[in-house]
Amino acid sequence: MSSTSTRQGLIIVNTGDGKGKTTAALGVLLRAWGRGWNISVVQFIKQETGRWGEVQAAEKLGIEWHSMGDGFTWKSKDLDKTTEKVQAAWSLAQEKIAGGVYDLVILDEMTYAFRFGWLDLHEVISWLRANRPPAVHVIITGRDAPSELIEFADLVTEMCKVKHPYDRGIPAQPGIEF
Amino acid sequence: MSSTSTRQGLIIVNTGDGKGKTTAALGVLLRAWGRGWNISVVQFIKQETGRWGEVQAAEKLGIEWHSMGDGFTWKSKDLDKTTEKVQAAWSLAQEKIAGGVYDLVILDEMTYAFRFGWLDLHEVISWLRANRPPAVHVIITGRDAPSELIEFADLVTEMCKVKHPYDRGIPAQPGIEF
């Protein structure tokens, strides 16, 4: 962990139906990397095999990146497997947060795990309260952040869609959206 | 410029009173860099001398970064100088956008130039319509994006403040907010 004397770790939540939830977390990652911090990213939904721009960037930067999901798992037919994968992601996240090595841990698309009942929100918050070292920043992203999570967090931003190119039939652009 | 055969350059606006406008632009920058794109950043307000986390990161990544402002210039006593600086930033931005070298040009905090009358929005939009190569993505950030700009843009997100640690007396944290 980098020097933490004056640092107050924040619980940050990026939610809402607009673009920019994961993207803003990546921006923080870039800033933190610029300052020489240790960073770990745990993705709860994105597939292990994805070669997104951010995964390529993290690799080039030497940032630890774990894509633990199996895609858009709420459409999955094998929900036991999904539950297992999400719980494995949370175990890994706990290890990263509590371990004292990382300054910033990003839990990408974690809110879906609460929404679909794969993780118990109350247990997650209790664990974070008891086990997160005070200097460690944690960012949680995803739509529909539950109100208890918003209550618990220090910094919450809602990304609101004003206008999206999908609406005009323009597909997602590589480099911009993924 | 990288391969542009299937690419449709977007005008992206990140606005609103919440956190994450510049930060989400940095996230796109990271993705784009991960894909090997050429990127240029022009900051309209931030001071040349700032050693923000993002500036340090850009330097390490070899990304072109121009901080053209003189700080929070709307408090400035020398408004001629401010106007001059903002116009120099726009000239530089025009060169970067039209030049055919860059895949992504970020115009950070540019909306303030419209709000305070340092740039004419109508002229800027006309120029972009006429001179932006179709594959070039442009991101404009800042509060209070004018409605004509929103109308012109392809992708607009409003970052809405839900909860901010300032409100509880916790100051901005390095690595997270700058």
Side-chain angles (χ1 to χ4, degrees):
Chain A
M1 216 188 275
S2 67
S3 165
T4 59
S5 52
T6 59
R7 207 168 79 200
Q8 178 158 359
L10 302 175
I11 302 281
I12 298 169
V13 173
N14 294 344
T15 191
D17 64 351
K19 303 302 299 180
K21 297 181 288 292
T22 296
T23 315
L26 294 175
V28 173
L29 173 148
L30 185 70
R31 282 198 178 112
W33 179 83
R35 292 182 182 270
W37 289 14
N38 289 326
I39 304 156
S40 184
V41 179
V42 179
Q43 293 197 298
F44 280 72
I45 304 294
K46 289 252 172 65
Q47 227 156 350
E48 289 152 49
T49 49
R51 293 292 304 154
W52 316 103
E54 54 265 43
V55 177
Q56 295 181 49
E59 215 166 77
K60 290 204 243 175
L61 300 180
I63 292 175
E64 221 188 74
W65 191 285
H66 308 274
S67 298
M68 304 288 286
D70 58 359
F72 293 94
T73 45
W74 51 88
K75 289 177 186 166
S76 171
K77 291 200 176 103
D78 186 353
L79 282 175
D80 284 351
K81 200 181 140 219
T82 298
T83 307
E84 221 171 78
K85 275 185 175 275
V86 168
Q87 285 170 353
W90 173 231
S91 294
L92 184 70
Q94 289 174 296
E95 193 189 308
K96 300 301 173 188
I97 292 166
V101 172
Y102 299 95
D103 302 287
L104 169 65
V105 180
I106 297 178
L107 308 179
D108 189 45
E109 301 189 318
M110 190 193 198
T111 61
Y112 303 109
F114 305 128
R115 180 168 169 198
F116 292 93
W118 298 317
L119 285 177
D120 183 278
L121 173 62
H122 196 73
E123 280 174 25
V124 167
I125 289 177
S126 299
W127 186 89
L128 285 169
R129 266 192 223 285
N131 297 287
R132 179 179 61 111
V136 175
H137 296 286
V138 174
I139 306 182
I140 296 173
T141 77
R143 290 184 180 216
D144 302 309
S147 56
E148 193 184 344
L149 180 63
I150 290 172
E151 183 54 41
F152 173 62
D154 300 297
L155 171 55
V156 181
T157 304
E158 188 181 353
M159 278 65 180
C160 309
K161 183 178 106 167
V162 176
K163 194 173 180 182
H164 197 284
Y166 289 161
D167 303 339
R168 293 191 297 126
I170 302 173
Q173 298 292 309
I176 299 296
E177 302 209 35
F178 57 89
Chain B
M1 216 187 275
S2 67
S3 166
T4 59
S5 51
T6 58
R7 206 167 78 199
Q8 177 157 359
L10 302 175
I11 302 280
I12 298 169
V13 172
N14 293 344
T15 191
D17 64 352
K19 303 302 299 181
K21 297 182 288 292
T22 296
T23 314
L26 295 175
V28 173
L29 171 149
L30 185 71
R31 280 197 181 114
W33 178 84
R35 290 181 182 271
W37 288 15
N38 288 325
I39 304 156
S40 184
V41 179
V42 179
Q43 293 197 298
F44 280 73
I45 305 295
K46 289 253 172 64
Q47 228 156 348
E48 289 152 49
T49 49
R51 292 294 302 154
W52 316 103
E54 54 265 43
V55 177
Q56 295 180 48
E59 215 166 77
K60 290 203 243 174
L61 300 180
I63 292 175
E64 221 188 74
W65 193 284
H66 308 274
S67 298
M68 304 288 288
D70 57 359
F72 292 93
T73 44
W74 50 89
K75 290 176 185 166
S76 170
K77 291 200 175 102
D78 185 353
L79 281 177
D80 284 351
K81 200 180 141 224
T82 297
T83 307
E84 222 170 78
K85 275 184 176 275
V86 167
Q87 285 169 353
W90 174 231
S91 295
L92 185 70
Q94 288 175 296
E95 195 188 307
K96 300 300 173 190
I97 293 166
V101 173
Y102 300 95
D103 303 285
L104 168 65
V105 180
I106 296 177
L107 308 178
D108 187 46
E109 300 189 319
M110 190 194 199
T111 61
Y112 304 108
F114 306 128
R115 180 168 168 196
F116 293 93
W118 298 317
L119 284 178
D120 183 276
L121 174 62
H122 196 72
E123 280 172 26
V124 167
I125 289 177
S126 300
W127 186 90
L128 285 169
R129 264 191 224 287
N131 298 286
R132 179 178 63 109
V136 175
H137 296 286
V138 174
I139 306 181
I140 297 173
T141 77
R143 290 184 182 217
D144 302 310
S147 56
E148 195 185 342
L149 181 63
I150 289 173
E151 183 54 39
F152 172 63
D154 300 297
L155 171 55
V156 181
T157 304
E158 188 182 352
M159 278 68 179
C160 310
K161 183 178 106 165
V162 176
K163 192 174 182 183
H164 197 286
Y166 288 163
D167 304 338
R168 293 190 296 128
I170 302 173
Q173 299 292 309
I176 299 295
E177 301 210 36
F178 56 87

